């Protein structure tokens, strides 16, 4: 049964808030109202808590609350599976008809399980229940205090069995466990009532609980500069299961099938992509590096940002199938698999704990004695090195006897100074990596004095994480953290610039590069990342390095709805597998899910196996395109155009626009500034001066989106230039004729004319400028053509289209430029007439509804009918002109009718076009009914504005007109309604 994520999405954040509040109350109680006995027995820990609270109370509360959430979640899962070694449920009653937790019931009956007896004082607990011993707090519930002690006893017992999750209880976490764990409204009561046994049938619930628990923290820190301790919350993202399967099956599975192509496992891997047919030369190259046999125990897979362990859990299943195929007994597989095959690292200790728990639960399904085997998992949270006392070790131990120098220890310490910030991106220098065996032997020394023992205890995890980071793995599989450079704190920003200069724009790109050094030379790395690196100029050098040195085995461009739980259009992802060496002339397989509807279930689309959505391309094809975008769908005819034609940069300058640093202060809607002409040009030398300002806007071709003005007097310019975020990009091109477009769009590209002499432009409206008007108009016709839309989707099919992308578009070299110029001028005029027909335009004069009818005694109905006739004619004419432009541009590039020059009616950019305005799901009659309703609203707004002496887009309410009304009657009605 699938996990009920909708319920967990509500439960986990609510539980986080409740836990933090409850831990806070417990802290206040201990610090200010503790009993004399408590103050005596726990004086040291209470003083330690007092110091921690003074340092950072919120951090203390969040850390302890998180620890208890993880433990309670694990206990609830073990309750549901019936896997407690002591045979009793901890949080849940024995049967549905009972209300008391089974463990408490057993204690009351004198049957406390023997496994728990060493971890608590049973006699004291019985004394509390029968009243012989007073409670720690006068008047508190003895049964609640007893149950709290039982929970602590269970956690202590599990420290011996599952130490990664149930780490030794420190004084803080034990003292701050809330008292009320029995009531329905308690934290334990929430786990009892909100999580069912069926929810726990799949260990995947652990991952979902992790994502939703920190979701509110993510919302708090996202979009800001993120402190190191908040990086896990800011960057975590739970990977959909089908994407995880794709990554595991096309890395580990691909390695197995390369050696054993007849393996029956291929039929079990529904997300495996069969490599394309290769040339004899490529096949010979691959055969030369493919091992003749593989021992399952030698296969290794690491997730260097493992989060809650989703990828490693899925890899467990495939490893298990591999072991079974090679004849291993199922009972012996878990221990081998967990100790030899799976590796995981993270910077979040709680996440690493959950990964360890999830893997142990997978193993427990196959081996009921697993908890007793003392398994040491290869999963850990990276730790900082600030606690390592190098000098103490150097003074107490003759390092030379171990082949070491003090400098080796210092190098290790410096390497991990910010381990919880840089995470798995850290790579040990070759010299230090050679010293790791000696450092391992040193960390295992015993029998020294207390100071040395503590120093060696601090050394051991540093050596262990250095070993994991220095190793090379058969497969590297990861959903890396996503964080742009704007969100990085200064430490992280400086470090990525130094170590990942080509990938520094985002953490996920740094992980792509890091995967090369984690994978074996003939190994695989498979990951899911944002798709921007495939196209954006920011990642050009990264792409070029990948295409030059590595091999893309397969890629699934997922696009919209990559992560359904985010409900975000922005998170457009791609999943891919790289072979960690370059195979010349290898034919890579690409699967296009991006062209499916935005809300489509991408897993279903993938499994549909539509052959028209599969492409086989050689990497050298991408290298022939400007910027080397991974445009796997490119046609040979389009590739020829890029080879033959000059780029737009040869005839134009494409520029970013102005960044004011504070748009709320310096940008206004034009209707806000009063008398327009005086405001624009200044009626007196010292009067405020404003300039029309382009700021992107909705999809609109040829002309329009003139909505904003920029404060442009000397005082405003001075204030603006003092803003920290101010950037005067493109200022030298202000007031020049040009072409502009919207930087951000989730639909088709649309470019518009910048009229000469009046306009400034914003960074949201990048623009291009030409020396000749004729060339400008031809270029505008080209970039608004159906052919250029195909090229734009190829160069950068992301939400942003920047000046660099525009500069790489091809410019027609020949053709009927005179005809293109005339058509584009006509399209601009039609679009301008439409833009000015409504009150949104500062050039608005009158509704076209009022002038469309030639009847000497017109009614609203006759005016409307005449206007609709004109509207249909205008739309038809715009459609004809755009299609003619498409054909002329195709001809100028030497093509025929590919792509199709016809233009769907909904793409005709007229505000009065109902197909564009309302979408394509309504019938023609329904479209025109909707249009008539909006026309009445426009008329009402105009009439109101006339009577009030201004034009206004705000109106007091809708008055429906009778078809036989005259305009005068209608205006009179409006007058009565508005007073």
């Amino acid at each position: 049964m699938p996990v009920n994520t909708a319920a967990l999405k509500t439960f986990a954040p609510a539980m986080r808030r409740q836990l933090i509040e409850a831990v806070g109350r417990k802290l206040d109680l201990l610090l200010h109202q503790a009993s004399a006995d408590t103050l005596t027995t726990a004086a040291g820990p209470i003083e330690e808590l007092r110091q921690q609270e003074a340092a950072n109370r919120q951090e203390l509360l969040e850390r302890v609350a998180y620890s208890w959430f993880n433990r309670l979640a694990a206990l609830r899962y073990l309750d549901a599976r019936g896997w407690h070694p002591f045979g009793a449920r901890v949080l849940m009653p024995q049967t549905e008809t009972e209300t008391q937790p089974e463990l408490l019931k057993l204690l009351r009956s004198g049957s406390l399980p023997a496994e728990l007896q060493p971890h608590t004082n049973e006699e004291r607990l019985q004394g509390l229940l029968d009243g012989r011993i007073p409670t720690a707090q006068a008047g508190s519930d003895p049964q609640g205090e007893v149950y709290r002690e039982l929970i602590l006893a269970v956690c202590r017992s599990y420290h011996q069995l599952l130490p990664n999750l149930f780490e030794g209880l420190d004084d803080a976490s034990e003292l701050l466990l809330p008292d009320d764990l029995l009531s329905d409204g308690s934290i334990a009561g929430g786990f009892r009532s909100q999580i069912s046994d069926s929810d726990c049938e799949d260990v995947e619930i652990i991952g979902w609980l992790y994502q939703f628990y920190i979701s509110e923290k993510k919302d708090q820190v996202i979009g800001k500069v993120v402190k190191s301790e908040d990086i896990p919350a800011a960057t975590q993202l739970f990977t959909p299961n089908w994407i995880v399967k794709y990554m595991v099956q096309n890395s580990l599975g691909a390695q197995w099938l390369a050696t054993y192509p007849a393996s029956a496992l291929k039929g079990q891997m529904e997300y495996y992509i069969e490599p394309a047919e290769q040339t004899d030369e490529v096949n010979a190259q691959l055969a030369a590096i493919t091992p003749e046999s593989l021992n399952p125990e030698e296969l290794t897979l690491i997730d260097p940002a493992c989060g809650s362990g989703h990828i490693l859990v899925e890899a467990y299943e495939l490893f298990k199938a591999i072991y079974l195929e090679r004849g291993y007994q199922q009972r012996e597989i878990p221990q081998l698999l967990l100790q030899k095959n799976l590796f995981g690292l993270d910077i979040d200790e709680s996440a690493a704990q959950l990964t360890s728990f999830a893997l142990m639960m997978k193993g427990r399904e196959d081996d009921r004695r697993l908890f007793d085997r003392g398994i040491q998992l290869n999963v850990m949270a990276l730790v900082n090195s600030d606690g390592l006392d190098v000098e103490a070790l150097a003074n107490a131990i003759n390092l030379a006897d171990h082949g070491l120098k003090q400098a080796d220890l210092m190098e290790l310490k410096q390497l991990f100074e910010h381990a919880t910030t840089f995470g798995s991106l850290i790579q040990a220098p070759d010299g230090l990596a050679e010293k790791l065996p000696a450092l391992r032997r040193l960390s295992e020394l015993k029998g020294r004095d207390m100071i040395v023992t503590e120093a060696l205890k601090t050394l051991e995890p540093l050596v262990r994480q250095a070993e994991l980071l220095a190793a090379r793995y058969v497969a590297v599989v990861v959903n890396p953290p996503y964080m742009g450079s704007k969100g990085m704190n200064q430490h992280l920003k400086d470090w990525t610039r130094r170590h990942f200069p080509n990938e520094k724009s985002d953490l996920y790109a740094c992980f792509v590069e890091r995967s090369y050094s984690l994978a074996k030379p003939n190994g695989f790395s498979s990951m899911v990342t944002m798709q921007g690196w495939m196209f954006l100029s920011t990642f050009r050098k990264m792409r070029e390095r990948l295409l030059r040195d590595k091999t893309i085995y397969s890629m699934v461009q997922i696009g919209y709805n990559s992560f359904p739980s985010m409900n975000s259009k922005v998170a457009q992802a791609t999943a891919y597998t790289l072979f960690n060496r370059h195979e010349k002339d290898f034919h890579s397989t690409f699967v296009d899910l991006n062209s499916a509807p935005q809300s489509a279930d991408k897993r279903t689309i993938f499994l549909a196996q539509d052959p028209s959505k599969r492409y086989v391309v050689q990497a050298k094809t991408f290298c022939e395109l400007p910027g080397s975008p991974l445009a796997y769908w490119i046609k040979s005819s389009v590739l020829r155009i890029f080879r033959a034609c000059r780029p737009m940069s040869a005839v134009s300058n494409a520029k970013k626009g102005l960044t004011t640093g504070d748009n709320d202060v310096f940008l206004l809607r034009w209707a806000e500034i009063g008398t327009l002409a005086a405001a624009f040009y200044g009626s007196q030398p010292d009067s405020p001066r404003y300039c029309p300002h382009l700021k992107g806007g909705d999809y609109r071709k040829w002309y329009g989106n003139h909505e904003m003005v920029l404060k442009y007097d000397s005082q405003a310019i001075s204030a603006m230039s003092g803003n920290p975020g101010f950037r005067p990009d493109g200022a030298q091109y202000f007031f020049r004729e040009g072409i502009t477009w919207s930087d951000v769009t989730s639909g088709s590209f649309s470019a518009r004319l910048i009229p000469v002499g009046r306009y400034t432009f914003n960074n949201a409206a990048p623009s291009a400028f030409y020396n000749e008007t004729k060339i400008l108009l031809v270029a505008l016709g080209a970039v608004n053509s159906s052919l250029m839309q195909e090229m734009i989707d190829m160069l950068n099919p992301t939400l942003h289209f920047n000046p660099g992308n525009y500069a790489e578009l091809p410019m027609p070299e020949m053709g009927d430029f005179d005809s293109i110029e005339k058509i584009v001028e006509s399209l601009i005029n039609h679009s301008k007439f439409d833009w000015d027909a409504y009150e949104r335009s500062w050039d608005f004069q009158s509704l076209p509804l009022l002038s469309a009818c030639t009847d000497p005694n017109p009614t609203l109905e006759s005016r409307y009918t005449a206007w609709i006739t004109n509207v249909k004619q205008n739309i038809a004419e715009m459609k004809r002109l755009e299609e003619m432009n498409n054909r002329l541009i195709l001809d100028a590039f030497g093509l025929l009718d590919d792509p199709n020059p016809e233009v769907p009616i909904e793409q005709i950019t007229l505000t009065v076009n109902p197909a564009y305005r309302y979408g394509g799901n309504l019938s023609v009659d329904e479209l025109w009914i909707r249009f008539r309703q909006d026309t009445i609203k426009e008329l009402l707004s105009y009439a109101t504005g006339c009577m009030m002496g201004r034009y206004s887009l705000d109106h007091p309410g809708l008055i429906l007109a009778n078809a036989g009304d005259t305009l005068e009657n209608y205006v009179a009605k409006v007058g009565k309604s508005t007073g």
Side-chain angles (χ1 to χ4, degrees):
M1 178 181 295
V3 176
N4 184 4
T5 56
L8 298 182
K9 193 172 186 177
T10 301
F11 165 74
M15 185 55 60
R16 174 180 177 270
R17 294 191 296 271
Q18 185 176 348
L19 263 167
I20 291 174
E21 183 180 348
V23 169
R25 288 198 301 271
K26 184 72 174 181
L27 176 64
D28 292 337
L29 184 67
L30 286 170
L31 296 183
H32 307 297
Q33 301 179 36
S35 66
D37 287 344
T38 300
L39 289 173
T40 300
T41 58
I46 289 177
E47 180 57 32
E48 183 179 345
L49 285 175
R50 195 182 307 278
Q51 293 175 9
Q52 292 180 21
E53 183 202 37
N56 192 328
R57 175 184 173 93
Q58 189 61 30
E59 190 278 331
L60 170 64
L61 300 183
E62 289 191 7
R63 173 172 55 81
V64 174
Y66 204 166
S67 295
W68 279 113
F69 180 84
N70 284 352
R71 292 170 185 148
L72 291 172
L75 294 177
R76 180 65 187 92
Y77 183 87
L78 290 162
D79 275 0
R81 302 306 299 266
W83 287 350
H84 290 298
F86 42 82
R89 288 182 157 206
V90 178
L91 301 182
M92 302 300 294
Q94 185 175 15
T95 67
E96 293 183 359
T97 59
E98 298 179 277
T99 57
Q100 193 174 71
E102 183 180 6
L103 186 59
L104 179 59
K105 178 182 176 182
L106 289 177
L107 176 71
R108 294 179 68 88
S109 65
S111 304
L112 182 67
E115 294 87 346
L116 299 181
Q117 290 174 11
H119 302 291
T120 191
N121 186 337
E122 184 177 5
E123 181 179 352
R124 178 177 177 277
L125 298 184
Q126 294 292 356
L128 281 167
L129 288 175
D130 61 24
R132 290 182 289 109
I133 298 176
T135 57
Q137 293 292 324
S140 62
D141 175 26
Q143 185 169 250
E145 185 171 328
V146 166
Y147 184 58
R148 181 180 180 277
E149 288 294 327
L150 288 175
I151 294 289
L152 292 172
V154 169
C155 292
R156 295 180 191 120
S157 73
Y158 268 121
H159 177 57
Q160 313 302 318
L161 304 174
L162 301 173
N164 294 73
L165 176 61
F166 293 93
E167 76 275 18
L169 287 174
D170 58 32
D171 294 326
S173 60
E174 181 167 337
L175 284 172
L176 294 180
L177 175 63
D179 294 323
D180 178 19
L181 300 172
L182 278 176
S183 71
D184 291 340
S186 69
I187 54 174
F191 279 94
R192 282 192 286 270
S193 62
Q194 299 301 314
I195 297 180
S196 66
D197 286 354
S198 62
D199 286 332
C200 300
E201 291 177 1
D202 192 328
V203 76
E204 186 179 313
I205 188 178
I206 299 298
W208 285 114
L209 283 171
Y210 169 69
Q211 167 156 326
F212 294 138
Y213 182 87
I214 63 176
S215 61
E216 290 186 337
K217 183 72 170 180
K218 181 184 182 78
D219 292 340
Q220 292 170 9
V221 301
I222 201 74
K224 305 173 183 177
V225 174
V226 180
K227 296 182 292 186
S228 293
E229 60 267 28
D230 292 333
I231 290 176
T235 59
Q236 65 80 31
L237 187 61
F238 193 72
T239 319
N241 189 252
W242 79 268
I243 300 178
V244 176
K245 288 179 181 289
Y246 161 81
M247 292 191 291
V248 171
Q249 292 173 12
N250 288 278
S251 54
L252 175 63
Q255 178 69 76
W256 187 254
L257 292 177
T259 302
Y260 303 106
S263 170
L265 292 185
K266 184 186 295 186
Q268 301 174 30
M269 298 192 300
E270 60 181 337
Y271 299 96
Y272 174 70
I273 295 178
E274 186 79 36
E277 185 176 344
Q278 307 295 332
T279 64
D280 292 342
E281 182 181 358
V282 170
N283 285 329
Q285 292 171 359
L286 294 174
I289 61 173
T290 301
E292 295 182 359
S293 63
L294 285 174
N295 181 347
E297 296 180 37
E298 297 174 352
L299 294 174
T300 54
L301 182 149
I302 187 171
D303 181 348
C306 62
S308 56
H310 192 182
I311 289 172
L312 296 179
V313 165
E314 191 57 49
Y316 178 100
E317 291 292 339
L318 185 53
F319 270 120
K320 174 182 169 182
I322 289 172
Y323 272 105
L324 290 173
E325 184 172 79
R326 302 308 288 175
Y328 286 73
Q329 297 298 310
Q330 180 163 316
R331 189 174 60 182
E332 67 179 321
I333 292 173
Q335 184 169 2
L336 286 172
L337 200 164
L338 294 174
Q339 291 185 327
K340 295 189 173 186
N341 301 120
L342 292 176
F343 298 79
L345 291 167
D346 205 277
I347 59 173
D348 183 356
E349 183 179 8
S350 294
Q353 291 172 349
L354 293 177
T355 295
S356 299
F357 178 75
L359 289 177
M360 289 297 289
M361 294 306 100
K362 292 300 294 184
R364 173 61 180 79
E365 290 180 353
D366 299 319
D367 178 9
R368 61 195 305 264
R369 299 290 301 277
L370 186 69
F371 292 173
D372 301 327
R373 302 193 187 279
I375 291 176
Q376 176 68 50
L377 296 175
N378 300 302
V379 175
M380 71 176 297
L382 295 166
V383 296
N384 292 334
S385 58
D386 49 349
L388 178 62
D389 192 337
V390 172
E391 188 173 348
L393 277 174
N395 290 335
I397 299 174
N398 187 353
L399 295 176
D401 292 344
H402 302 275
L404 295 169
K405 302 176 183 177
Q406 184 172 344
D408 297 326
L409 292 177
M410 185 57 66
E411 186 176 19
L412 180 69
K413 181 171 183 175
Q414 291 172 347
L415 183 68
F416 293 120
E417 184 179 4
H418 299 288
T420 57
T421 300
F422 306 150
S424 297
L425 296 178
I426 296 172
Q427 185 173 0
D430 292 340
L432 181 61
E434 293 172 359
K435 296 289 186 179
L436 286 177
L439 287 167
R440 165 56 59 193
R441 292 190 294 273
L442 178 65
S443 71
E444 293 173 347
L445 289 178
K446 301 185 186 301
R448 302 282 177 166
D449 59 46
M450 181 64 69
I451 295 177
V452 175
T453 298
E454 287 301 314
L456 291 173
K457 185 178 179 181
T458 306
L459 175 65
E460 194 282 330
L462 300 179
V463 174
R464 185 181 174 211
Q465 66 193 30
E467 292 171 335
L468 292 174
L469 289 169
R472 305 293 289 268
Y473 302 86
V474 170
V476 181
V477 184
V478 60
N479 179 359
Y482 308 110
M483 179 187 288
S485 59
K486 290 182 179 179
M488 297 180 189
N489 59 53
Q490 199 60 48
H491 274 310
L492 185 56
K493 186 177 294 186
D494 292 343
W495 195 80
T496 53
R497 284 174 178 168
R498 186 165 63 253
H499 294 278
F500 299 93
N502 296 334
E503 299 82 18
K504 63 181 181 296
S505 296
D506 202 293
L507 277 184
Y508 82 74
C510 299
F511 270 84
V512 174
E513 172 71 22
R514 181 66 173 103
S515 73
Y516 304 157
S517 54
L518 282 170
K520 290 186 173 182
N522 294 336
F524 290 84
S525 57
S526 192
M527 55 193 73
V528 57
T529 67
M530 297 298 100
Q531 68 180 16
W533 73 269
M534 297 171 61
F535 311 103
L536 295 178
S537 58
T538 306
F539 301 106
R540 178 172 183 166
K541 290 183 178 179
M542 169 188 163
R543 277 194 304 278
E544 291 173 343
R545 191 292 173 78
L546 186 153
L547 294 171
R548 182 182 65 248
D549 298 342
K550 310 300 173 184
T551 303
I552 300 175
Y553 245 56
S554 67
M555 175 177 285
V556 181
Q557 188 188 5
I558 307 167
Y560 291 108
N561 206 33
S562 296
F563 302 98
S565 64
M566 292 183 64
N567 191 28
S568 170
K569 290 183 178 181
V570 176
Q572 300 177 61
T574 182
Y576 47 96
T577 299
L578 306 176
F579 188 42
N580 203 30
R581 59 180 287 155
H582 182 64
E583 290 299 330
K584 183 182 178 183
D585 297 330
F586 186 88
H587 289 76
S588 307
T589 303
F590 296 83
V591 179
D592 172 25
L593 307 183
N594 187 52
S595 59
Q598 293 183 7
S599 59
D601 181 349
K602 296 306 178 72
R603 171 184 175 274
T604 302
I605 302 296
F606 178 89
L607 293 176
Q609 302 281 330
D610 182 353
S612 69
K613 299 302 180 183
R614 294 208 169 202
Y615 301 81
V616 176
V617 185
Q618 289 182 301
K620 62 184 180 183
T621 301
F622 306 134
C623 299
E624 296 184 54
L625 295 171
S628 301
L630 301 189
Y632 53 83
W633 60 90
I634 187 172
K635 300 171 185 175
S636 58
S637 58
V638 175
L639 184 60
R640 178 180 57 78
I641 290 173
F642 278 103
R643 290 171 179 159
C645 295
R646 292 182 300 169
M648 284 288 179
S649 60
V651 294
S652 70
N653 289 303
K655 298 293 181 180
K656 290 183 179 179
L658 172 72
T659 303
T660 68
D662 193 341
N663 284 350
D664 290 340
V665 171
F666 297 104
L667 298 187
L668 299 169
R669 296 272 176 186
W670 66 263
E672 296 180 69
I673 63 173
T675 306
L676 192 62
F680 278 176
Y681 302 111
S683 57
Q684 297 177 10
D686 59 346
S687 64
R689 182 175 175 83
Y690 298 85
C691 292
H693 191 67
L694 301 173
K695 193 175 178 293
D698 296 335
Y699 173 84
R700 186 171 181 87
K701 287 183 177 180
W702 313 114
Y703 185 93
N705 287 351
H706 303 162
E707 301 172 316
M708 309 298 296
V709 293
L710 169 71
K711 290 183 180 180
Y712 209 65
D713 62 306
S714 58
Q715 183 177 355
I717 293 173
S718 175
M720 191 188 310
S721 60
N723 280 339
F726 170 74
R727 289 179 61 95
D729 295 329
Q732 71 270 36
Y733 290 93
F734 285 179
F735 314 117
R736 283 186 56 175
E737 184 179 46
I739 294 173
T740 189
W741 63 92
S742 301
D743 171 54
V744 179
T745 176
S746 59
S748 299
F749 179 82
S750 60
R752 298 168 291 279
L753 175 73
I754 304 176
V756 67
R758 298 177 72 182
Y759 291 86
T760 58
F761 59 103
N762 192 264
N763 61 340
S767 303
F769 301 90
Y770 296 75
N771 290 329
E772 295 182 45
T773 298
K774 185 183 190 72
I775 298 300
L776 181 153
L777 293 175
V778 172
L780 181 57
V783 297
N784 273 341
S785 69
S786 55
L787 173 62
M788 203 66 78
Q789 179 64 57
E790 190 171 293
M791 295 180 179
I792 288 168
D793 289 341
M794 183 195 65
L795 288 177
N796 185 4
T798 65
L799 291 173
H800 296 270
F801 193 77
N802 57 55
N805 297 131
Y806 185 94
E808 292 171 342
L809 293 173
M811 178 68 189
E813 294 293 327
M814 61 188 66
D816 188 354
F817 282 10
D818 289 340
S819 295
I820 295 174
E821 180 183 7
K822 291 177 181 177
I823 288 172
V824 171
E825 286 177 337
S826 183
L827 285 164
I828 291 171
N829 290 333
H830 275 78
S831 185
K832 183 179 188 306
F833 178 83
D834 170 69
W835 181 258
D836 293 339
Y838 294 89
E839 294 171 292
R840 66 194 171 180
S841 170
W842 49 62
D843 290 325
F844 170 74
Q845 298 297 322
S846 177
L847 285 174
L849 177 69
L850 306 181
S851 58
C853 183
T854 58
D855 189 329
N857 297 302
T859 63
L860 288 182
E861 183 178 36
S862 64
R863 290 177 186 273
Y864 180 79
T865 301
W867 187 29
I868 290 302
T869 301
N870 286 351
V871 164
K872 291 181 177 179
Q873 292 172 351
N874 288 338
I875 290 172
E877 177 63 5
M878 284 287 286
K879 188 175 190 300
R880 185 188 70 82
L881 290 170
E882 288 215 21
E883 290 173 352
M884 186 178 294
N885 177 70
N886 285 340
R887 290 188 175 91
L888 288 170
I889 295 300
L890 285 170
D891 183 65
F893 282 114
L895 301 180
L896 296 176
D897 285 347
D898 185 19
N900 188 343
E902 293 186 4
V903 179
I905 190 172
E906 60 267 18
Q907 288 187 11
I908 301 301
T909 316
L910 291 179
T911 309
V912 293
N913 180 0
Y916 166 70
R917 198 171 193 176
Y918 307 117
N921 296 324
L922 301 176
S923 69
V924 174
D925 289 341
E926 289 172 326
L927 288 170
W928 290 113
I929 290 172
R930 186 81 65 84
F931 178 48
R932 183 179 185 279
Q933 293 171 343
D934 278 4
T935 301
I936 292 173
K937 295 179 183 179
E938 295 280 359
L939 186 58
L940 171 63
S941 176
Y942 176 72
T944 304
C946 286
M947 288 187 307
M948 299 180 70
R950 62 179 176 84
Y951 299 126
S952 172
L953 291 174
D954 300 317
H955 46 77
L958 178 63
I959 298 178
L960 295 176
N962 296 318
D965 272 356
T966 63
L967 178 62
E968 291 75 16
N969 289 340
Y970 185 70
V971 170
K973 279 187 178 183
V974 175
K976 290 180 179 179
S977 71
T978 60

